[in-house]
PDB file of all heavy atoms in Angstrom:
ATOM      1  N   ILE X 154       5.815  24.394 -18.345  1.00 94.00           N
ATOM      2  CA  ILE X 154       4.995  23.230 -18.600  1.00 94.00           C
ATOM      3  C   ILE X 154       5.837  22.200 -19.230  1.00 94.00           C
ATOM      4  O   ILE X 154       6.477  22.406 -20.312  1.00 94.00           O
ATOM      5  CB  ILE X 154       3.806  23.549 -19.507  1.00 94.00           C
ATOM      6  CG1 ILE X 154       2.926  24.638 -18.781  1.00 94.00           C
ATOM      7  CG2 ILE X 154       3.004  22.367 -19.840  1.00 94.00           C
ATOM      8  CD1 ILE X 154       1.772  25.086 -19.595  1.00 94.00           C
ATOM      9  N   ALA X 155       5.957  21.049 -18.511  1.00 94.00           N
ATOM     10  CA  ALA X 155       6.865  19.953 -18.918  1.00 94.00           C
ATOM     11  C   ALA X 155       5.998  18.828 -19.512  1.00 94.00           C
ATOM     12  O   ALA X 155       4.872  18.548 -19.101  1.00 94.00           O
ATOM     13  CB  ALA X 155       7.648  19.541 -17.798  1.00 94.00           C
ATOM     14  N   GLN X 156       6.624  18.118 -20.463  1.00 93.00           N
ATOM     15  CA  GLN X 156       5.972  16.926 -21.097  1.00 93.00           C
ATOM     16  C   GLN X 156       7.098  16.019 -21.511  1.00 93.00           C
ATOM     17  O   GLN X 156       8.116  16.531 -21.974  1.00 93.00           O
ATOM     18  CB  GLN X 156       5.103  17.386 -22.235  1.00 93.00           C
ATOM     19  CG  GLN X 156       4.193  16.345 -22.772  1.00 93.00           C
ATOM     20  CD  GLN X 156       3.196  16.862 -23.725  1.00 93.00           C
ATOM     21  OE1 GLN X 156       3.370  17.929 -24.385  1.00 93.00           O
ATOM     22  NE2 GLN X 156       2.133  16.219 -24.025  1.00 93.00           N
ATOM     23  N   SER X 157       6.988  14.760 -21.271  1.00 93.00           N
ATOM     24  CA  SER X 157       8.015  13.874 -21.706  1.00 93.00           C
ATOM     25  C   SER X 157       7.390  12.778 -22.591  1.00 93.00           C
ATOM     26  O   SER X 157       6.229  12.534 -22.650  1.00 93.00           O
ATOM     27  CB  SER X 157       8.733  13.225 -20.535  1.00 93.00           C
ATOM     28  OG  SER X 157       7.780  12.427 -19.776  1.00 93.00           O
ATOM     29  N   GLU X 158       8.307  12.109 -23.200  1.00 91.00           N
ATOM     30  CA  GLU X 158       7.865  10.937 -24.104  1.00 91.00           C
ATOM     31  C   GLU X 158       8.476   9.728 -23.524  1.00 91.00           C
ATOM     32  O   GLU X 158       9.743   9.721 -23.242  1.00 91.00           O
ATOM     33  CB  GLU X 158       8.301  11.160 -25.538  1.00 91.00           C
ATOM     34  CG  GLU X 158       7.917  10.105 -26.503  1.00 91.00           C
ATOM     35  CD  GLU X 158       8.355  10.493 -27.941  1.00 91.00           C
ATOM     36  OE1 GLU X 158       9.561  10.377 -28.215  1.00 91.00           O
ATOM     37  OE2 GLU X 158       7.500  10.817 -28.683  1.00 91.00           O
ATOM     38  N   SER X 159       7.800   8.583 -23.393  1.00 92.00           N
ATOM     39  CA  SER X 159       8.401   7.370 -22.964  1.00 92.00           C
ATOM     40  C   SER X 159       8.115   6.307 -23.951  1.00 92.00           C
ATOM     41  O   SER X 159       7.178   6.420 -24.704  1.00 92.00           O
ATOM     42  CB  SER X 159       7.815   6.981 -21.629  1.00 92.00           C
ATOM     43  OG  SER X 159       6.339   6.754 -21.716  1.00 92.00           O
ATOM     44  N   PHE X 160       8.921   5.325 -23.997  1.00 86.00           N
ATOM     45  CA  PHE X 160       8.862   4.224 -24.933  1.00 86.00           C
ATOM     46  C   PHE X 160       8.207   3.075 -24.305  1.00 86.00           C
ATOM     47  O   PHE X 160       8.403   2.789 -23.076  1.00 86.00           O
ATOM     48  CB  PHE X 160      10.326   3.846 -25.284  1.00 86.00           C
ATOM     49  CG  PHE X 160      10.295   2.756 -26.413  1.00 86.00           C
ATOM     50  CD1 PHE X 160       9.969   3.023 -27.685  1.00 86.00           C
ATOM     51  CD2 PHE X 160      10.630   1.440 -26.099  1.00 86.00           C
ATOM     52  CE1 PHE X 160       9.985   2.000 -28.667  1.00 86.00           C
ATOM     53  CE2 PHE X 160      10.636   0.449 -26.989  1.00 86.00           C
ATOM     54  CZ  PHE X 160      10.308   0.764 -28.264  1.00 86.00           C
TER      55      PHE X 160
END
Side-chain angles (χ1 to χ4, degrees):
I154 297 176
Q156 192 170 18
S157 65
E158 180 177 75
S159 62
F160 183 76

